[in-house]
Every structure is written in C-alpha cells, then in structure tokens.
Amino acid sequence: MENFQQTTCLPLLRSSYNGLTKSEQKLADYILKNPADVMHMTMSELADATSSADATVFRFCHKLGFSGFQGLKQALAGDLFSPAESLSQEVNADDTPRDITRKVFQDMIDALQETQKMLDYKALEQAIDLVSKTERIDAYGYGGSGNIAQDIAHRFMRFGLDVHAYSDPHLQIASASLLKPEDVVIAISHTGASIDLLKVLEMVRSRGSKIILITSYLKSPATKLADVVLTGLARETSYRSEAMASRLVHLAIIDCLYTGVMQRCMDEYIDNMKQVRKAIAEQKM
C-alpha cells in the first residue's frame, strides 16, 4: 500500500472503502465527491465539512498509509493534475518563456488582489499596535517562511528593536523560553499546521507574549494560538512543492505591517536610518 499511495489517492479510497469505519467512510465519500475542493482545505476544514474531529481525519490518513493530511493531498494531486500541472495548473509543457512569465505574474497579481480584498484590517491595526509598543520581536518560520522571518529581522531592526529570526525548532524553543509578556512573536506559516511551530507557539503563550501569525489559511491549528492573524490568500496550496504566490503575499503583508509601524514612529525611524546610512557609507571606498 505504501508505494501505491505515493502516486494515487482516489483508487486507494475506493479499494479500501469496505474496510473503513462509518466515520471514515463519510470522509472517503466526501473526498471522492469533492476532490478538487479537498485540495484547498485544511485538515480542520475537512473535519468541519464532514462533521468529524481533527483526530478522526488524522487517523484516517494514517490508516490509508499516508504520512498525514498533506501526504493525502499530495497523492490526490496526482489524480487531479499531470506532473507538469503540479508546478502550475496554468502552465503547459509547450509554453514559451513569455507565456510562463505572463501566467506566473498573473498568479501573483491575482493573489495580491484577492488578499487585499479579504485582509482583516482591524487585525493589521492590532499588529501595528503590538509591534509599535514592544522592544523585542522574535520571528519564526521554516523553509521558505524562514526566509520571510529573516526579512522581518532585517527590516524591523531599523526601528532600534531587539529583533531576531529563527528557523531552527530548537533555537525557537530556546528563544521562546526567554520571552517576557511585553515581547512579540511574529510566526509565518503557509499552512499553519506545522507540529514544531504549534509546540513553540504553545510555549510562547505560556510565557504571556503576544503572537502575530501570518498564514494562508483562515482556519488552521496555529490560528487558535495566535493573538492576531493576518491571512494572505494564494490559490496554490497543497499540490505544489513550494507555495510560490503565498511567499510574495506574506512579504506584502510584512511590508504593510512595517509601513504602519514606520508611520507611528516616523521621527525615530528617520534618525535611525540616518545613522544606518552613515555607517554603511563609511564602509565604502
């Protein structure tokens, strides 16, 4: 079953159907009838749609031989999309570089426009308030999100803040263990379902620090732990090896947060930037 499930999902569901419990058959029925919708769902959303528990969905995936819900969706992608379409539904094998560029740019534009329409501006204002009043920011992210965390550290240091970025789970735990109630954590997670991230966010909450979450899903386990959630909408999610448009969307949200804080602290920001530019200029020939 293990080799079979790596490349397909729907035939596996059909062949395993009689061996499933009634609650598992309800999940299988929903996936078989709505495979395209399931591709864009979180585990919690699938649980809600089938009146199931998250734990039931998790056990269901493991029973079928998948590593988890993401593993199931990756196999489901093999049923819905060809290998070429796994990179982008819109990009075809015979597209020219001009075609690819046009389609990729359009994906980015669509993602940004959709995010602008659905972004919670009250939440953004709350995030600006938190960052404006704190003296320490720790940014957490893994993989591509780790790069965004580094961008946060690079940008917000200009306000004279004690800001650090961590992409290693052990270093995140170490930093979280030293947090104080007045400190702020900015966590970036495309799915909001990373087990390591959930563990460290629970520790952050136990320290009384505030959590700003930047994610691509309105409902995910991480949103339940955050004080402020900023959601960026990107169409590609589960079937791509890397969330391409979401990376750009999350950076745009960071830019909005950064600009909002700069507006609150304009005089201090200008003074700091003068010092930074002077120091950099002294290093040039």
Side-chain angles (χ1 to χ4, degrees), residues 14-49:
R14 297 187 186 102
S15 64
S16 306
Y17 190 85
N18 292 336
L20 302 176
T21 65
K22 290 185 178 180
S23 59
E24 292 167 345
Q25 286 180 350
K26 184 189 298 183
L27 286 166
D29 289 337
Y30 188 90
I31 295 171
L32 289 168
K33 293 177 181 178
N34 309 280
D37 292 339
V38 174
M39 286 296 301
H40 299 279
M41 284 184 170
T42 64
M43 185 168 67
S44 296
E45 287 171 340
L46 177 59
D48 287 346

PDB file of all heavy atoms in Angstrom, residues 14-49:
ATOM      1  N   ARG A  14     -11.279   3.932  -2.982  1.00  0.00           N
ATOM      2  CA  ARG A  14     -12.312   3.004  -3.465  1.00  0.00           C
ATOM      3  C   ARG A  14     -11.985   1.569  -3.072  1.00  0.00           C
ATOM      4  O   ARG A  14     -12.868   0.821  -2.639  1.00  0.00           O
ATOM      5  CB  ARG A  14     -12.445   3.128  -4.981  1.00  0.00           C
ATOM      6  CG  ARG A  14     -12.910   4.517  -5.444  1.00  0.00           C
ATOM      7  CD  ARG A  14     -13.180   4.535  -6.941  1.00  0.00           C
ATOM      8  NE  ARG A  14     -13.483   5.883  -7.417  1.00  0.00           N
ATOM      9  CZ  ARG A  14     -12.622   6.663  -8.050  1.00  0.00           C
ATOM     10  NH1 ARG A  14     -11.389   6.222  -8.292  1.00  0.00           N
ATOM     11  NH2 ARG A  14     -12.964   7.875  -8.446  1.00  0.00           N
ATOM     12  N   SER A  15     -10.720   1.217  -3.210  1.00  0.00           N
ATOM     13  CA  SER A  15     -10.349  -0.164  -2.918  1.00  0.00           C
ATOM     14  C   SER A  15     -10.345  -0.470  -1.424  1.00  0.00           C
ATOM     15  O   SER A  15     -10.492  -1.625  -1.022  1.00  0.00           O
ATOM     16  CB  SER A  15      -8.967  -0.475  -3.511  1.00  0.00           C
ATOM     17  OG  SER A  15      -7.969   0.325  -2.893  1.00  0.00           O
ATOM     18  N   SER A  16     -10.174   0.550  -0.610  1.00  0.00           N
ATOM     19  CA  SER A  16     -10.128   0.357   0.841  1.00  0.00           C
ATOM     20  C   SER A  16     -11.458   0.642   1.520  1.00  0.00           C
ATOM     21  O   SER A  16     -11.578   0.490   2.746  1.00  0.00           O
ATOM     22  CB  SER A  16      -9.060   1.287   1.451  1.00  0.00           C
ATOM     23  OG  SER A  16      -7.814   1.111   0.842  1.00  0.00           O
ATOM     24  N   TYR A  17     -12.453   1.038   0.758  1.00  0.00           N
ATOM     25  CA  TYR A  17     -13.697   1.571   1.312  1.00  0.00           C
ATOM     26  C   TYR A  17     -14.364   0.602   2.292  1.00  0.00           C
ATOM     27  O   TYR A  17     -14.786   1.000   3.383  1.00  0.00           O
ATOM     28  CB  TYR A  17     -14.662   1.907   0.171  1.00  0.00           C
ATOM     29  CG  TYR A  17     -15.878   2.676   0.613  1.00  0.00           C
ATOM     30  CD1 TYR A  17     -15.847   4.058   0.738  1.00  0.00           C
ATOM     31  CD2 TYR A  17     -17.065   2.025   0.920  1.00  0.00           C
ATOM     32  CE1 TYR A  17     -16.956   4.775   1.152  1.00  0.00           C
ATOM     33  CE2 TYR A  17     -18.189   2.729   1.328  1.00  0.00           C
ATOM     34  CZ  TYR A  17     -18.123   4.103   1.441  1.00  0.00           C
ATOM     35  OH  TYR A  17     -19.219   4.804   1.845  1.00  0.00           O
ATOM     36  N   ASN A  18     -14.472  -0.657   1.913  1.00  0.00           N
ATOM     37  CA  ASN A  18     -15.198  -1.618   2.763  1.00  0.00           C
ATOM     38  C   ASN A  18     -14.507  -1.872   4.096  1.00  0.00           C
ATOM     39  O   ASN A  18     -15.145  -2.333   5.046  1.00  0.00           O
ATOM     40  CB  ASN A  18     -15.389  -2.944   2.016  1.00  0.00           C
ATOM     41  CG  ASN A  18     -16.340  -2.809   0.848  1.00  0.00           C
ATOM     42  OD1 ASN A  18     -17.180  -1.914   0.823  1.00  0.00           O
ATOM     43  ND2 ASN A  18     -16.212  -3.689  -0.134  1.00  0.00           N
ATOM     44  N   GLY A  19     -13.224  -1.579   4.169  1.00  0.00           N
ATOM     45  CA  GLY A  19     -12.503  -1.790   5.417  1.00  0.00           C
ATOM     46  C   GLY A  19     -12.492  -0.585   6.332  1.00  0.00           C
ATOM     47  O   GLY A  19     -11.880  -0.623   7.404  1.00  0.00           O
ATOM     48  N   LEU A  20     -13.174   0.480   5.936  1.00  0.00           N
ATOM     49  CA  LEU A  20     -13.216   1.693   6.736  1.00  0.00           C
ATOM     50  C   LEU A  20     -14.398   1.688   7.696  1.00  0.00           C
ATOM     51  O   LEU A  20     -15.418   1.046   7.436  1.00  0.00           O
ATOM     52  CB  LEU A  20     -13.322   2.925   5.817  1.00  0.00           C
ATOM     53  CG  LEU A  20     -12.208   3.114   4.784  1.00  0.00           C
ATOM     54  CD1 LEU A  20     -12.521   4.314   3.892  1.00  0.00           C
ATOM     55  CD2 LEU A  20     -10.864   3.309   5.462  1.00  0.00           C
ATOM     56  N   THR A  21     -14.258   2.412   8.795  1.00  0.00           N
ATOM     57  CA  THR A  21     -15.371   2.582   9.722  1.00  0.00           C
ATOM     58  C   THR A  21     -16.389   3.537   9.101  1.00  0.00           C
ATOM     59  O   THR A  21     -16.119   4.181   8.075  1.00  0.00           O
ATOM     60  CB  THR A  21     -14.891   3.156  11.063  1.00  0.00           C
ATOM     61  OG1 THR A  21     -14.384   4.483  10.838  1.00  0.00           O
ATOM     62  CG2 THR A  21     -13.783   2.292  11.655  1.00  0.00           C
ATOM     63  N   LYS A  22     -17.557   3.648   9.722  1.00  0.00           N
ATOM     64  CA  LYS A  22     -18.592   4.535   9.177  1.00  0.00           C
ATOM     65  C   LYS A  22     -18.123   5.985   9.119  1.00  0.00           C
ATOM     66  O   LYS A  22     -18.399   6.692   8.145  1.00  0.00           O
ATOM     67  CB  LYS A  22     -19.865   4.421  10.021  1.00  0.00           C
ATOM     68  CG  LYS A  22     -20.592   3.090   9.862  1.00  0.00           C
ATOM     69  CD  LYS A  22     -21.895   3.095  10.634  1.00  0.00           C
ATOM     70  CE  LYS A  22     -22.648   1.779  10.432  1.00  0.00           C
ATOM     71  NZ  LYS A  22     -23.933   1.758  11.188  1.00  0.00           N
ATOM     72  N   SER A  23     -17.427   6.432  10.159  1.00  0.00           N
ATOM     73  CA  SER A  23     -16.934   7.809  10.168  1.00  0.00           C
ATOM     74  C   SER A  23     -15.863   8.007   9.101  1.00  0.00           C
ATOM     75  O   SER A  23     -15.784   9.071   8.464  1.00  0.00           O
ATOM     76  CB  SER A  23     -16.372   8.171  11.545  1.00  0.00           C
ATOM     77  OG  SER A  23     -15.318   7.302  11.914  1.00  0.00           O
ATOM     78  N   GLU A  24     -15.045   6.979   8.877  1.00  0.00           N
ATOM     79  CA  GLU A  24     -14.016   7.062   7.840  1.00  0.00           C
ATOM     80  C   GLU A  24     -14.636   7.009   6.446  1.00  0.00           C
ATOM     81  O   GLU A  24     -14.168   7.669   5.517  1.00  0.00           O
ATOM     82  CB  GLU A  24     -12.993   5.946   8.023  1.00  0.00           C
ATOM     83  CG  GLU A  24     -12.134   6.113   9.286  1.00  0.00           C
ATOM     84  CD  GLU A  24     -11.361   4.861   9.635  1.00  0.00           C
ATOM     85  OE1 GLU A  24     -11.693   3.791   9.076  1.00  0.00           O
ATOM     86  OE2 GLU A  24     -10.452   4.948  10.469  1.00  0.00           O
ATOM     87  N   GLN A  25     -15.715   6.219   6.301  1.00  0.00           N
ATOM     88  CA  GLN A  25     -16.406   6.159   5.010  1.00  0.00           C
ATOM     89  C   GLN A  25     -17.038   7.510   4.668  1.00  0.00           C
ATOM     90  O   GLN A  25     -17.099   7.901   3.499  1.00  0.00           O
ATOM     91  CB  GLN A  25     -17.478   5.063   5.037  1.00  0.00           C
ATOM     92  CG  GLN A  25     -16.899   3.659   4.976  1.00  0.00           C
ATOM     93  CD  GLN A  25     -17.966   2.592   5.013  1.00  0.00           C
ATOM     94  OE1 GLN A  25     -19.134   2.864   5.262  1.00  0.00           O
ATOM     95  NE2 GLN A  25     -17.558   1.342   4.757  1.00  0.00           N
ATOM     96  N   LYS A  26     -17.482   8.241   5.699  1.00  0.00           N
ATOM     97  CA  LYS A  26     -18.037   9.581   5.466  1.00  0.00           C
ATOM     98  C   LYS A  26     -16.955  10.504   4.895  1.00  0.00           C
ATOM     99  O   LYS A  26     -17.206  11.277   3.971  1.00  0.00           O
ATOM    100  CB  LYS A  26     -18.578  10.156   6.780  1.00  0.00           C
ATOM    101  CG  LYS A  26     -19.267  11.502   6.615  1.00  0.00           C
ATOM    102  CD  LYS A  26     -19.594  12.133   7.946  1.00  0.00           C
ATOM    103  CE  LYS A  26     -20.557  11.297   8.756  1.00  0.00           C
ATOM    104  NZ  LYS A  26     -20.933  11.972  10.030  1.00  0.00           N
ATOM    105  N   LEU A  27     -15.740  10.390   5.427  1.00  0.00           N
ATOM    106  CA  LEU A  27     -14.622  11.166   4.908  1.00  0.00           C
ATOM    107  C   LEU A  27     -14.291  10.747   3.476  1.00  0.00           C
ATOM    108  O   LEU A  27     -14.081  11.599   2.601  1.00  0.00           O
ATOM    109  CB  LEU A  27     -13.389  10.973   5.799  1.00  0.00           C
ATOM    110  CG  LEU A  27     -13.403  11.687   7.158  1.00  0.00           C
ATOM    111  CD1 LEU A  27     -12.303  11.130   8.052  1.00  0.00           C
ATOM    112  CD2 LEU A  27     -13.217  13.187   6.972  1.00  0.00           C
ATOM    113  N   ALA A  28     -14.267   9.432   3.243  1.00  0.00           N
ATOM    114  CA  ALA A  28     -13.956   8.928   1.902  1.00  0.00           C
ATOM    115  C   ALA A  28     -15.001   9.387   0.889  1.00  0.00           C
ATOM    116  O   ALA A  28     -14.660   9.791  -0.232  1.00  0.00           O
ATOM    117  CB  ALA A  28     -13.865   7.405   1.924  1.00  0.00           C
ATOM    118  N   ASP A  29     -16.278   9.334   1.280  1.00  0.00           N
ATOM    119  CA  ASP A  29     -17.351   9.776   0.387  1.00  0.00           C
ATOM    120  C   ASP A  29     -17.168  11.236  -0.008  1.00  0.00           C
ATOM    121  O   ASP A  29     -17.332  11.615  -1.176  1.00  0.00           O
ATOM    122  CB  ASP A  29     -18.711   9.599   1.061  1.00  0.00           C
ATOM    123  CG  ASP A  29     -19.113   8.140   1.188  1.00  0.00           C
ATOM    124  OD1 ASP A  29     -18.592   7.319   0.401  1.00  0.00           O
ATOM    125  OD2 ASP A  29     -19.942   7.824   2.064  1.00  0.00           O
ATOM    126  N   TYR A  30     -16.823  12.066   0.964  1.00  0.00           N
ATOM    127  CA  TYR A  30     -16.668  13.495   0.689  1.00  0.00           C
ATOM    128  C   TYR A  30     -15.491  13.747  -0.253  1.00  0.00           C
ATOM    129  O   TYR A  30     -15.585  14.552  -1.191  1.00  0.00           O
ATOM    130  CB  TYR A  30     -16.461  14.262   2.000  1.00  0.00           C
ATOM    131  CG  TYR A  30     -16.495  15.759   1.817  1.00  0.00           C
ATOM    132  CD1 TYR A  30     -17.683  16.466   1.922  1.00  0.00           C
ATOM    133  CD2 TYR A  30     -15.336  16.477   1.512  1.00  0.00           C
ATOM    134  CE1 TYR A  30     -17.724  17.841   1.734  1.00  0.00           C
ATOM    135  CE2 TYR A  30     -15.360  17.839   1.328  1.00  0.00           C
ATOM    136  CZ  TYR A  30     -16.564  18.514   1.431  1.00  0.00           C
ATOM    137  OH  TYR A  30     -16.594  19.866   1.240  1.00  0.00           O
ATOM    138  N   ILE A  31     -14.375  13.062   0.002  1.00  0.00           N
ATOM    139  CA  ILE A  31     -13.190  13.254  -0.841  1.00  0.00           C
ATOM    140  C   ILE A  31     -13.455  12.766  -2.255  1.00  0.00           C
ATOM    141  O   ILE A  31     -13.077  13.419  -3.234  1.00  0.00           O
ATOM    142  CB  ILE A  31     -11.978  12.524  -0.233  1.00  0.00           C
ATOM    143  CG1 ILE A  31     -11.602  13.145   1.117  1.00  0.00           C
ATOM    144  CG2 ILE A  31     -10.778  12.578  -1.181  1.00  0.00           C
ATOM    145  CD1 ILE A  31     -10.559  12.372   1.890  1.00  0.00           C
ATOM    146  N   LEU A  32     -14.144  11.619  -2.391  1.00  0.00           N
ATOM    147  CA  LEU A  32     -14.437  11.075  -3.713  1.00  0.00           C
ATOM    148  C   LEU A  32     -15.363  11.986  -4.515  1.00  0.00           C
ATOM    149  O   LEU A  32     -15.242  12.095  -5.731  1.00  0.00           O
ATOM    150  CB  LEU A  32     -15.065   9.689  -3.572  1.00  0.00           C
ATOM    151  CG  LEU A  32     -14.114   8.572  -3.107  1.00  0.00           C
ATOM    152  CD1 LEU A  32     -14.890   7.327  -2.721  1.00  0.00           C
ATOM    153  CD2 LEU A  32     -13.108   8.240  -4.209  1.00  0.00           C
ATOM    154  N   LYS A  33     -16.283  12.666  -3.822  1.00  0.00           N
ATOM    155  CA  LYS A  33     -17.233  13.548  -4.498  1.00  0.00           C
ATOM    156  C   LYS A  33     -16.678  14.954  -4.725  1.00  0.00           C
ATOM    157  O   LYS A  33     -17.117  15.656  -5.658  1.00  0.00           O
ATOM    158  CB  LYS A  33     -18.529  13.643  -3.688  1.00  0.00           C
ATOM    159  CG  LYS A  33     -19.312  12.335  -3.628  1.00  0.00           C
ATOM    160  CD  LYS A  33     -20.558  12.490  -2.753  1.00  0.00           C
ATOM    161  CE  LYS A  33     -21.339  11.192  -2.659  1.00  0.00           C
ATOM    162  NZ  LYS A  33     -22.520  11.318  -1.767  1.00  0.00           N
ATOM    163  N   ASN A  34     -15.722  15.376  -3.867  1.00  0.00           N
ATOM    164  CA  ASN A  34     -15.223  16.758  -3.943  1.00  0.00           C
ATOM    165  C   ASN A  34     -13.694  16.812  -3.931  1.00  0.00           C
ATOM    166  O   ASN A  34     -13.103  17.548  -3.123  1.00  0.00           O
ATOM    167  CB  ASN A  34     -15.766  17.569  -2.759  1.00  0.00           C
ATOM    168  CG  ASN A  34     -17.269  17.457  -2.600  1.00  0.00           C
ATOM    169  OD1 ASN A  34     -18.019  18.111  -3.297  1.00  0.00           O
ATOM    170  ND2 ASN A  34     -17.701  16.615  -1.681  1.00  0.00           N
ATOM    171  N   PRO A  35     -13.024  16.071  -4.784  1.00  0.00           N
ATOM    172  CA  PRO A  35     -11.548  16.031  -4.714  1.00  0.00           C
ATOM    173  C   PRO A  35     -10.888  17.387  -4.923  1.00  0.00           C
ATOM    174  O   PRO A  35      -9.917  17.719  -4.239  1.00  0.00           O
ATOM    175  CB  PRO A  35     -11.175  15.038  -5.825  1.00  0.00           C
ATOM    176  CG  PRO A  35     -12.333  15.058  -6.767  1.00  0.00           C
ATOM    177  CD  PRO A  35     -13.542  15.270  -5.903  1.00  0.00           C
ATOM    178  N   ALA A  36     -11.403  18.193  -5.857  1.00  0.00           N
ATOM    179  CA  ALA A  36     -10.798  19.494  -6.125  1.00  0.00           C
ATOM    180  C   ALA A  36     -10.940  20.435  -4.927  1.00  0.00           C
ATOM    181  O   ALA A  36     -10.035  21.211  -4.621  1.00  0.00           O
ATOM    182  CB  ALA A  36     -11.421  20.120  -7.365  1.00  0.00           C
ATOM    183  N   ASP A  37     -12.097  20.369  -4.242  1.00  0.00           N
ATOM    184  CA  ASP A  37     -12.300  21.209  -3.064  1.00  0.00           C
ATOM    185  C   ASP A  37     -11.369  20.798  -1.929  1.00  0.00           C
ATOM    186  O   ASP A  37     -10.831  21.650  -1.211  1.00  0.00           O
ATOM    187  CB  ASP A  37     -13.755  21.108  -2.592  1.00  0.00           C
ATOM    188  CG  ASP A  37     -14.735  21.745  -3.566  1.00  0.00           C
ATOM    189  OD1 ASP A  37     -14.293  22.593  -4.367  1.00  0.00           O
ATOM    190  OD2 ASP A  37     -15.923  21.379  -3.540  1.00  0.00           O
ATOM    191  N   VAL A  38     -11.180  19.497  -1.753  1.00  0.00           N
ATOM    192  CA  VAL A  38     -10.323  18.993  -0.675  1.00  0.00           C
ATOM    193  C   VAL A  38      -8.887  19.471  -0.861  1.00  0.00           C
ATOM    194  O   VAL A  38      -8.171  19.707   0.113  1.00  0.00           O
ATOM    195  CB  VAL A  38     -10.387  17.448  -0.611  1.00  0.00           C
ATOM    196  CG1 VAL A  38      -9.376  16.902   0.404  1.00  0.00           C
ATOM    197  CG2 VAL A  38     -11.793  16.994  -0.237  1.00  0.00           C
ATOM    198  N   MET A  39      -8.462  19.648  -2.115  1.00  0.00           N
ATOM    199  CA  MET A  39      -7.110  20.116  -2.390  1.00  0.00           C
ATOM    200  C   MET A  39      -6.806  21.451  -1.726  1.00  0.00           C
ATOM    201  O   MET A  39      -5.664  21.754  -1.404  1.00  0.00           O
ATOM    202  CB  MET A  39      -6.919  20.261  -3.909  1.00  0.00           C
ATOM    203  CG  MET A  39      -6.786  18.947  -4.642  1.00  0.00           C
ATOM    204  SD  MET A  39      -5.325  18.033  -4.146  1.00  0.00           S
ATOM    205  CE  MET A  39      -4.054  19.206  -4.548  1.00  0.00           C
ATOM    206  N   HIS A  40      -7.840  22.270  -1.496  1.00  0.00           N
ATOM    207  CA  HIS A  40      -7.643  23.616  -0.949  1.00  0.00           C
ATOM    208  C   HIS A  40      -8.150  23.724   0.491  1.00  0.00           C
ATOM    209  O   HIS A  40      -8.363  24.820   0.992  1.00  0.00           O
ATOM    210  CB  HIS A  40      -8.356  24.647  -1.834  1.00  0.00           C
ATOM    211  CG  HIS A  40      -7.841  24.667  -3.234  1.00  0.00           C
ATOM    212  ND1 HIS A  40      -6.701  25.337  -3.592  1.00  0.00           N
ATOM    213  CD2 HIS A  40      -8.275  24.065  -4.366  1.00  0.00           C
ATOM    214  CE1 HIS A  40      -6.465  25.166  -4.866  1.00  0.00           C
ATOM    215  NE2 HIS A  40      -7.407  24.407  -5.369  1.00  0.00           N
ATOM    216  N   MET A  41      -8.321  22.579   1.145  1.00  0.00           N
ATOM    217  CA  MET A  41      -8.807  22.563   2.526  1.00  0.00           C
ATOM    218  C   MET A  41      -7.671  22.265   3.505  1.00  0.00           C
ATOM    219  O   MET A  41      -6.689  21.623   3.163  1.00  0.00           O
ATOM    220  CB  MET A  41      -9.883  21.489   2.701  1.00  0.00           C
ATOM    221  CG  MET A  41     -11.244  21.825   2.133  1.00  0.00           C
ATOM    222  SD  MET A  41     -12.430  20.508   2.517  1.00  0.00           S
ATOM    223  CE  MET A  41     -13.959  21.285   2.032  1.00  0.00           C
ATOM    224  N   THR A  42      -7.846  22.748   4.727  1.00  0.00           N
ATOM    225  CA  THR A  42      -7.009  22.297   5.825  1.00  0.00           C
ATOM    226  C   THR A  42      -7.665  21.070   6.439  1.00  0.00           C
ATOM    227  O   THR A  42      -8.815  20.738   6.139  1.00  0.00           O
ATOM    228  CB  THR A  42      -6.876  23.376   6.909  1.00  0.00           C
ATOM    229  OG1 THR A  42      -8.166  23.626   7.485  1.00  0.00           O
ATOM    230  CG2 THR A  42      -6.330  24.670   6.323  1.00  0.00           C
ATOM    231  N   MET A  43      -6.936  20.420   7.312  1.00  0.00           N
ATOM    232  CA  MET A  43      -7.489  19.251   7.980  1.00  0.00           C
ATOM    233  C   MET A  43      -8.731  19.622   8.791  1.00  0.00           C
ATOM    234  O   MET A  43      -9.727  18.893   8.802  1.00  0.00           O
ATOM    235  CB  MET A  43      -6.442  18.598   8.892  1.00  0.00           C
ATOM    236  CG  MET A  43      -6.888  17.290   9.535  1.00  0.00           C
ATOM    237  SD  MET A  43      -5.533  16.390  10.311  1.00  0.00           S
ATOM    238  CE  MET A  43      -5.144  17.520  11.661  1.00  0.00           C
ATOM    239  N   SER A  44      -8.686  20.780   9.440  1.00  0.00           N
ATOM    240  CA  SER A  44      -9.823  21.225  10.247  1.00  0.00           C
ATOM    241  C   SER A  44     -11.044  21.522   9.384  1.00  0.00           C
ATOM    242  O   SER A  44     -12.182  21.245   9.773  1.00  0.00           O
ATOM    243  CB  SER A  44      -9.450  22.468  11.054  1.00  0.00           C
ATOM    244  OG  SER A  44      -8.437  22.175  11.983  1.00  0.00           O
ATOM    245  N   GLU A  45     -10.822  22.084   8.216  1.00  0.00           N
ATOM    246  CA  GLU A  45     -11.935  22.391   7.316  1.00  0.00           C
ATOM    247  C   GLU A  45     -12.591  21.124   6.788  1.00  0.00           C
ATOM    248  O   GLU A  45     -13.811  21.053   6.660  1.00  0.00           O
ATOM    249  CB  GLU A  45     -11.433  23.260   6.163  1.00  0.00           C
ATOM    250  CG  GLU A  45     -11.127  24.693   6.597  1.00  0.00           C
ATOM    251  CD  GLU A  45     -10.430  25.490   5.519  1.00  0.00           C
ATOM    252  OE1 GLU A  45      -9.852  24.869   4.604  1.00  0.00           O
ATOM    253  OE2 GLU A  45     -10.434  26.741   5.591  1.00  0.00           O
ATOM    254  N   LEU A  46     -11.786  20.097   6.496  1.00  0.00           N
ATOM    255  CA  LEU A  46     -12.354  18.826   6.059  1.00  0.00           C
ATOM    256  C   LEU A  46     -13.139  18.186   7.207  1.00  0.00           C
ATOM    257  O   LEU A  46     -14.218  17.619   6.989  1.00  0.00           O
ATOM    258  CB  LEU A  46     -11.250  17.877   5.585  1.00  0.00           C
ATOM    259  CG  LEU A  46     -11.715  16.477   5.166  1.00  0.00           C
ATOM    260  CD1 LEU A  46     -12.729  16.558   4.027  1.00  0.00           C
ATOM    261  CD2 LEU A  46     -10.524  15.613   4.767  1.00  0.00           C
ATOM    262  N   ALA A  47     -12.610  18.300   8.412  1.00  0.00           N
ATOM    263  CA  ALA A  47     -13.309  17.756   9.578  1.00  0.00           C
ATOM    264  C   ALA A  47     -14.658  18.443   9.762  1.00  0.00           C
ATOM    265  O   ALA A  47     -15.678  17.784  10.006  1.00  0.00           O
ATOM    266  CB  ALA A  47     -12.444  17.912  10.824  1.00  0.00           C
ATOM    267  N   ASP A  48     -14.689  19.768   9.621  1.00  0.00           N
ATOM    268  CA  ASP A  48     -15.943  20.509   9.759  1.00  0.00           C
ATOM    269  C   ASP A  48     -16.935  20.127   8.667  1.00  0.00           C
ATOM    270  O   ASP A  48     -18.140  19.965   8.924  1.00  0.00           O
ATOM    271  CB  ASP A  48     -15.676  22.013   9.699  1.00  0.00           C
ATOM    272  CG  ASP A  48     -15.011  22.540  10.953  1.00  0.00           C
ATOM    273  OD1 ASP A  48     -14.997  21.806  11.962  1.00  0.00           O
ATOM    274  OD2 ASP A  48     -14.496  23.666  10.928  1.00  0.00           O
ATOM    275  N   ALA A  49     -16.442  19.975   7.437  1.00  0.00           N
ATOM    276  CA  ALA A  49     -17.321  19.671   6.308  1.00  0.00           C
ATOM    277  C   ALA A  49     -17.967  18.303   6.423  1.00  0.00           C
ATOM    278  O   ALA A  49     -19.045  18.059   5.870  1.00  0.00           O
ATOM    279  CB  ALA A  49     -16.539  19.757   4.992  1.00  0.00           C
TER     280      ALA A  49
END
